[in-house]
Each structure stands twice: as structure tokens, then as C-alpha cells.
Amino acid sequence: MTGAAPAASATTVGVVLAGSVLVFWQSMMKGIRHAADDLHVDLIMRSPSDGASLGTQANVQLQMVDYLVKSGVAGIVLAPEPLQGVKTPVSVTVPVVLVDRGSNDYLSVSTVETNNFEAGKTAARSLMNILHKGSTVAVLRLAPSIPSTTARENGFLSVAQEAGWNVVINTYVGYDFRMAGETARKLLAGYQGHLDAAFAPNETTAYGALQAVESMPPERRPRLVVFDWRPEFLDALKGGSLYADVVQDPYRMGYLAVETLVSTLRHRPAPPDQYVDVVTVTQGNMNEPAIRAVIANYNP
């Protein structure tokens, strides 16, 4: 980054996520704030509108990172979205810990995330007992530029291929709630023939897919497996319109990212990759204490 940065504060860290409205980011912010309280550091948080970096505000995160460096933060936690027309990797003058996803666009000391390829395989395996060779499935992709969801989609597809499922829909539906819902409805309702299962890899696609499935006649509804959590998904699991939900722990990711950054600032080495486990929530296990503990972190 160009220009001399002011001396970084030993007690203030910056945070730039990829949004603030999604329940996922709200849960992560809870973990970040809790870690900051426990570790006695101050926070400066600057996050774009959800999906802004993928739309008309290219590189808006980079502007926020630059602002934080000039504000004197000691380090930055960043959930990176792709950069456009910028020489990469960008070297920030303070330590950077990536959260939720890796990126080749920034130099970083560590990445805290879900093992997304394996988690995508986990989502597919939740269907193994009810699907057979030749079953028809749909994959409602998010966007080609997001490595975390791409890895989930590819993990799901790898199991589908091994199991001999017929992937009849494999389409990007977008990162906007309205767009994802409309596209999912057209794809699922418009498929000529019986669709056995569908997979949606993040909160927006999951919400759109659930709306689409619930608008279909019960006898035509595919078994829906989604990623991420929203409070309304609990009723969908109870009612059977949602078959399974692979739930990340963004609270834990946020906490661990701040913990890792502070540890780095205190001259303790950090592992380059840190994975946070997922849980698969179903109608049968949604009341188990371990499951409820993860879900509770998504509540306001």
C-alpha cells in the first residue's frame, strides 16, 4: 500500500468483513467483540454492504484497509473479497489475519476458516442414505469469484460424482437475497421431471432455495441441504421443507481470528491455516446441546 502509515497502536485492531447484514457476519462480529473484550484490545470496524465488493463498489475493502492503517491500527482481521485491477498480493504495513476465506490478493500471517471443500462433502454425505445412483440433484451456486463457496460446491459435486448422482442443475444464482430467490424458484420449479435433492452453499442461496422449495407442491419438493444458519431455518427443519443444514461457527472464527492477530502482535507465531469445525443440523439432532450451542451464536 502506498504512503507512510502512522505508528500502529498496540491496543487497537481493525476489522473489515465482507458485509454486516447477513446473520453470518453478525455472529462473527459477536465473536470478534468478545475476543477483543477478553484480550483487552480496542476495535475499529469498517465493513461494506453485503455483496458491495462484488457489484458496483470494486476494491471498497482495500479503501477501508487503507483507512484503518492510516488510523494507526496495530493489525487487521479481514474477510477478503476479490480485488480488481490492482497489483497483488497487496502488502499491508501491519499484520493481517484472514477470516472465513483465504485469498492470494493479500499477504497474511494466518487464515481462520471452515475447511470448505470437506464441508461441501459433508453436505452431500447427509444425503447418502436417501439417494441412490442416478438420483437427480441441483447445485445452486453463489458466485464464481468467492473461493469459500466454490470449494463447498466442488466438495458437494465430488461426492455426487462418486455416488453416481445426476447433477441436472449446476447454476449460479447470485449473492442478493431477491436475485437468489427468484433464480432458485425458476430453476427448481422449471425443471421438467422429478428432482431428488438440492444444495445451496451459503446464507443467501439457502434462503432463496428454501423459499423456492416451500412454494412447490409437497410431492415435488426435493430434499434440500443448505449451508449457514438463519433463525427461520429451525421451523423449516421441524416442518421437513429443509432436510439438513451444515452450520459453520462464525462466532468461533471471529474470536480465533482476533486471538491469532493479538498473539502475532505479541510476537507469538501463528499457524498459517486454522480450520473451525462445522455441525450438520437435522430434524433428529437439532435439540442436542452441542448443536444448540452453535445455533445460539447466530441469535441477536
Side-chain angles (χ1 to χ4, degrees), residues 1 13-19 25 28 32 44-48 53 59-66 68-69 75-83 90-92 94-113 253-254 257-258 261:
M1 301 183 70
V13 298
V15 177
V16 179
L17 303 182
W25 298 123
M28 184 173 287
I32 287 169
I44 302 178
M45 303 182 74
R46 294 288 187 275
S47 297
S53 300
N59 301 341
V60 64
Q61 281 188 321
L62 188 58
Q63 298 170 33
M64 293 176 175
V65 168
D66 190 45
L68 292 174
V69 170
I76 294 174
V77 171
L78 172 66
E81 292 193 319
L83 297 176
V90 171
S91 180
V92 184
V94 297
V96 174
V97 172
L98 302 181
V99 66
D100 179 56
R101 63 195 69 168
S103 173
N104 293 322
D105 286 344
Y106 294 89
L107 297 176
S108 62
V109 297
S110 184
T111 300
V112 180
E113 63 181 333
M253 275 191 268
V258 173
L261 180 58

Side-chain angles (χ1 to χ4, degrees), residues 3 10 16 22 29 33 76 86-87 96 104 115 136 143 146 199 207 209 224 262 275 288-289 294-295:
V16 179
L22 292 183
M29 285 188 282
R33 291 190 181 104
I76 294 174
V86 176
K87 184 178 179 180
V96 174
N104 293 322
N115 187 331
T136 53
I146 305 298
F199 172 59
Y207 184 76
L224 178 61
V262 172
Y275 294 119
E288 293 179 5
V294 173
I295 292 173

Side-chain angles (χ1 to χ4, degrees), residues 108-228:
S108 62
V109 297
S110 184
T111 300
V112 180
E113 63 181 333
T114 297
N115 187 331
N116 287 292
F117 186 81
E118 287 301 318
K121 293 173 74 171
T122 296
R125 287 171 180 149
S126 72
L127 294 162
M128 292 294 285
N129 289 335
I130 60 171
L131 298 188
H132 52 77
K133 186 175 182 179
S135 292
T136 53
V137 299
V139 178
L140 304 173
R141 290 177 173 260
L142 176 63
S145 56
I146 305 298
S148 54
T149 49
T150 297
R152 291 170 210 159
E153 295 152 5
N154 290 343
F156 185 95
L157 289 167
S158 71
V159 172
Q161 183 177 23
E162 292 171 5
W165 301 340
N166 186 14
V167 181
V168 295
I169 297 172
N170 187 12
T171 305
Y172 293 106
V173 300
Y175 49 84
D176 173 81
F177 275 107
R178 182 185 57 80
M179 180 195 312
E182 290 178 357
T183 306
R185 205 162 11 245
K186 290 177 183 176
L187 289 168
L188 299 184
Y191 178 69
Q192 300 299 312
H194 180 71
L195 190 62
D196 293 302
F199 172 59
N202 85 314
E203 185 179 334
T204 52
T205 57
Y207 184 76
L210 179 59
Q211 287 185 311
V213 166
E214 289 183 336
S215 70
M216 299 170 68
E219 67 275 9
R220 291 202 63 222
R221 293 178 181 177
R223 299 293 180 94
L224 178 61
V225 176
V226 302
F227 222 90
D228 291 335

